Amino acid sequence: MTVNDQNRFQAIISHAKEYGFVFPSSEIYDGLSAVYDYGPWGSELKKNIRESWWNAMTRMHDNIVGIDAAIFMHPTTWKASGHVDNFSDPMIDNKDSKKRYRVDHLIEGAAEELSKSGKQQEADDLLRQMDEGLAANDFTELKNLIDRNGIKCSVSNTCNWTDVRQFNLMFSTQLGSVAEDANEIYLRPETAQGIFVNFLNVQKTARMKIPFGIAQVGKAFRNEIVARQFIFRMREFEQMEMQYFIRPGSQKEWYEYWKTERMKWHTAMGIPSENYRFHDHVKLAHYADAAVDIEYAFPIGWKEVEGIHSRTDFDLKNHQQFSGKKQQYFDPEVNQSHVPYVIETSIGLDRMFLLVLCHAYQEEKWTKEDGNEDSRVVLKIPPAIAPIKLAVLPLLKKEGLPEIAREIMASCRNEFYCFYEEKDTIGKRYRRMDALGTPFCVTVDHQTKEDRTVTIRYRDTMKQERISMEGLAAFIRSKF
Ligand code: ATP
């Protein structure tokens, strides 16, 4: 585990691009800030992570069903949810460089500098005063704090600051073709609201009894101000969220249950538990009565990958009020109606993808039997989510070997993603498959023609052994 290793982070970003995992969006036009495209192996890996989450949530729980709601929602949704009024960060602009900063990031940066130069007490005081200012929403005090401490813009190196202002993170657009009649609507900043507004539709049609959950995976959009950490913080990203509707008063118990369940999912993926930790929120979001982040030791530090929030009845109650439609559940066990409470689990698919890459990326060096040095870059992606599960490699492009390799492809490709390659030496092909994270390669050689055995090579250990071609698909499957 290496926390805070910028070189490693840069190496992972380069690898992701070079091997077709993640590209900057519209790169031929120099890209679009904090927007990314997934390439052939990236889209496959992302799909596998999505499926793993989806199956863990829906198939593995009798009482959780999925939906797929639209990105556009009625604009009142975002008034009811509190996003129009509250989904904003305090910002400040430097008048000389025109660079905009999130106030907390600017002050935290200054505190870090103080701490680096041995002034820990001053750093702690600064952060404490910032927390007080943020908690009280006291923008004048925050501005004064920046002035008093002479905090400078890193670009212009001046203290010529605007006032602190709120900046809403939602993207807006127009619905309707005629400009004058068009309504302003938002691109959803979270998928959760699509679940809340469908709560009764789902409860009735899927005949659900409380407690029950609704899961969803979909795009969300935030006009993030500070967006320069690759796919960690994007302006367009995908969330995997589940809202669990419960009886009021049972939220503590279910909150603990989901904390445990979600951590189990992470470690069941094959990612070591020591790289994870819980981080309780001190300053709660406007909708929550308890909240915790699951953090991972990224090369850019311990960072949130998932949030678990006890959202009370905040959302359903507000939707009830703004829509005038009852959002209640009749609980036959206690013979009364109530607005359910909600525990939410919310994980960023792109952030989970980055986590998997950070876990998997290894640069290995060793001394060979002949005394020479050798090295490789390998992605030790857990086999169950690896983009390619099996590479089928004929040793030669002739003498009937490709035909046998094709036969193996035909018998396995229905079951999992297989990749056929006959170019280059076998050593080079193995290295390429290591770099793509392919856990198994099989090589077809002349002996295969005689006894229908192949050489299987394991990515992580680089060990090779001969196994029978028959039953190969089942054998590989048993490994994940
Ligand atoms: P952060 O504090 O990092 O901005 P958040 O607390 O605002 O995140 P939530 O609103 O709880 O995040 O969203 C749930 C999850 O969605 C996060 O844990 C994260 O994995 C993901 N997520 C949120 N914002 C982004 C983003 N801009 N890019 C990628 N993933 C994101």
Side-chain angles (χ1 to χ4, degrees):
M1 164 171 101
T2 343
V3 191
N4 268 324
D5 184 343
Q6 275 300 335
N7 291 341
R8 179 174 159 76
F9 196 55
Q10 289 310 320
I12 292 167
I13 297 173
S14 306
H15 189 90
K17 180 163 177 233
E18 188 180 343
Y19 286 93
F21 284 86
V22 181
F23 309 125
S25 157
S26 32
E27 197 189 4
I28 57 166
Y29 297 104
D30 297 331
L32 184 65
S33 164
V35 185
Y36 290 89
D37 298 339
Y38 287 82
W41 312 123
S43 54
E44 196 64 29
L45 173 59
K46 193 174 171 200
K47 178 184 70 69
N48 293 345
I49 298 173
R50 191 191 289 120
E51 256 175 36
S52 161
W53 181 89
W54 185 259
N55 291 342
M57 283 299 177
T58 60
R59 278 201 211 164
M60 303 309 285
H61 291 96
D62 293 340
N63 64 345
I64 301 182
V65 287
I67 64 162
D68 184 5
I71 287 170
F72 292 142
M73 299 183 71
H74 192 283
T76 309
T77 309
W78 305 111
K79 291 207 178 81
S81 70
H83 283 82
V84 171
D85 294 328
N86 292 313
F87 195 56
S88 48
D89 284 326
M91 300 290 166
I92 193 162
D93 294 24
N94 184 274
K95 290 185 196 159
D96 299 322
S97 67
K98 311 278 181 254
K99 190 169 155 60
R100 178 168 289 167
Y101 292 84
R102 249 173 75 170
V103 166
D104 55 339
H105 288 174
L106 181 69
I107 301 178
E108 277 165 7
E112 208 174 306
E113 289 304 316
L114 284 172
S115 144
K116 271 190 204 151
S117 52
K119 299 177 182 161
Q120 194 55 45
Q121 185 59 44
E122 282 177 47
D124 292 346
D125 285 347
L126 181 59
L127 290 177
R128 185 184 41 75
Q129 292 173 62
M130 176 188 81
D131 284 343
E132 284 167 9
L134 286 172
N137 264 336
D138 187 344
F139 293 169
T140 317
E141 172 51 22
L142 288 169
K143 171 78 190 313
N144 287 340
L145 192 61
I146 291 169
D147 288 340
R148 275 203 308 275
N149 286 275
I151 299 176
K152 288 186 180 154
C153 165
S154 60
V155 178
S156 66
N157 217 21
T158 68
C159 301
N160 194 7
W161 297 108
T162 61
D163 286 339
V164 173
R165 285 173 300 198
Q166 287 286 43
F167 183 88
N168 197 295
L169 300 183
M170 282 196 293
F171 285 101
S172 64
T173 185
Q174 306 289 317
L175 188 76
S177 51
V178 185
E180 302 85 72
D181 299 341
N183 284 322
E184 186 181 40
I185 56 164
Y186 298 104
L187 300 187
R188 65 181 177 196
E190 62 174 26
T191 55
Q193 297 306 323
I195 291 180
F196 287 122
V197 299
N198 278 299
F199 155 69
L200 281 179
N201 282 340
V202 175
Q203 188 265 321
K204 286 183 184 143
T205 55
R207 301 157 61 86
M208 304 307 277
K209 284 213 234 48
I210 269 173
F212 75 93
I214 306 178
Q216 180 173 214
V217 181
K219 291 269 187 173
F221 303 83
R222 296 182 186 179
N223 200 0
E224 299 281 4
I225 302 305
V226 181
R228 50 181 143 71
Q229 289 165 321
F230 189 42
I231 55 172
F232 182 82
R233 193 174 299 286
M234 303 158 90
R235 296 204 163 107
E236 172 180 344
F237 57 100
E238 221 166 314
Q239 285 186 315
M240 306 193 284
E241 296 198 299
M242 193 277 303
Q243 265 66 40
Y244 202 67
F245 299 90
I246 56 173
R247 197 179 282 164
S250 63
Q251 64 269 31
K252 282 214 167 61
E253 170 197 334
W254 286 115
Y255 178 67
E256 291 305 324
Y257 171 86
W258 281 109
K259 270 175 73 173
T260 313
E261 273 298 287
R262 292 304 304 143
M263 196 55 110
K264 267 197 225 155
W265 179 81
H266 283 274
T267 47
M269 291 276 247
I271 316 257
S273 59
E274 65 264 26
N275 289 4
Y276 283 104
R277 72 179 185 193
F278 285 115
H279 179 252
D280 289 313
H281 284 210
V282 186
K283 184 172 184 265
L284 293 173
H286 58 275
Y287 50 75
D289 78 350
V292 67
D293 293 337
I294 296 180
E295 293 187 339
Y296 179 77
F298 284 97
I300 47 173
W302 282 97
K303 300 270 178 198
E304 166 181 350
V305 60
E306 171 158 9
I308 297 160
H309 311 125
S310 173
R311 286 181 86 127
T312 66
D313 56 1
F314 176 89
D315 302 85
L316 287 181
K317 258 209 173 132
N318 277 358
H319 286 307
Q320 178 167 280
Q321 188 196 329
F322 277 76
S323 67
K325 315 248 164 49
K326 277 214 162 111
Q327 298 298 309
Q328 293 189 344
Y329 168 82
F330 177 74
D331 192 334
E333 280 176 39
V334 287
N335 208 21
Q336 51 174 254
S337 296
H338 58 72
V339 178
Y341 269 42
V342 169
I343 303 295
E344 157 183 274
T345 71
S346 174
I347 174 168
L349 175 52
D350 311 85
R351 244 180 233 188
M352 189 62 206
F353 180 103
L354 180 62
L355 185 159
V356 170
L357 275 194
C358 292
H359 159 75
Y361 181 89
Q362 318 265 334
E363 292 169 8
E364 293 182 345
K365 282 197 178 71
W366 66 93
T367 310
K368 291 191 294 188
E369 276 170 15
D370 61 10
N372 288 325
E373 296 291 305
D374 207 349
S375 66
R376 66 170 181 165
V377 170
V378 52
L379 292 185
K380 294 188 173 170
I381 303 175
I385 54 169
I388 303 167
K389 305 284 192 267
L390 174 69
V392 183
L393 316 171
L395 192 63
L396 300 174
K397 275 191 223 169
K398 51 189 182 187
E399 294 167 21
L401 302 186
E403 286 74 10
I404 305 179
R406 287 286 176 198
E407 196 188 314
I408 296 177
M409 284 293 287
S411 71
C412 293
R413 70 191 323 165
N414 254 342
E415 302 232 10
F416 41 76
Y417 203 112
C418 304
F419 186 83
Y420 177 87
E421 189 156 56
E422 53 183 29
K423 274 201 305 284
D424 290 330
T425 64
I426 203 74
K428 274 198 185 149
R429 282 183 266 170
Y430 282 156
R431 284 293 187 277
R432 188 170 145 70
M433 285 302 129
D434 286 344
L436 295 180
T438 306
F440 310 102
C441 294
V442 291
T443 304
V444 175
D445 57 18
H446 289 103
Q447 195 182 326
T448 314
K449 288 209 287 193
E450 284 157 27
D451 61 7
R452 292 186 66 82
T453 63
V454 287
T455 302
I456 183 163
R457 185 239 189 211
Y458 300 98
R459 175 195 68 195
D460 294 353
T461 57
M462 294 191 278
K463 291 240 158 63
Q464 303 185 11
E465 61 182 339
R466 278 207 93 84
I467 59 165
S468 164
M469 254 174 72
E470 320 314 324
L472 183 64
F475 176 80
I476 302 265
R477 203 165 247 309
S478 74
K479 301 282 178 193
F480 49 91

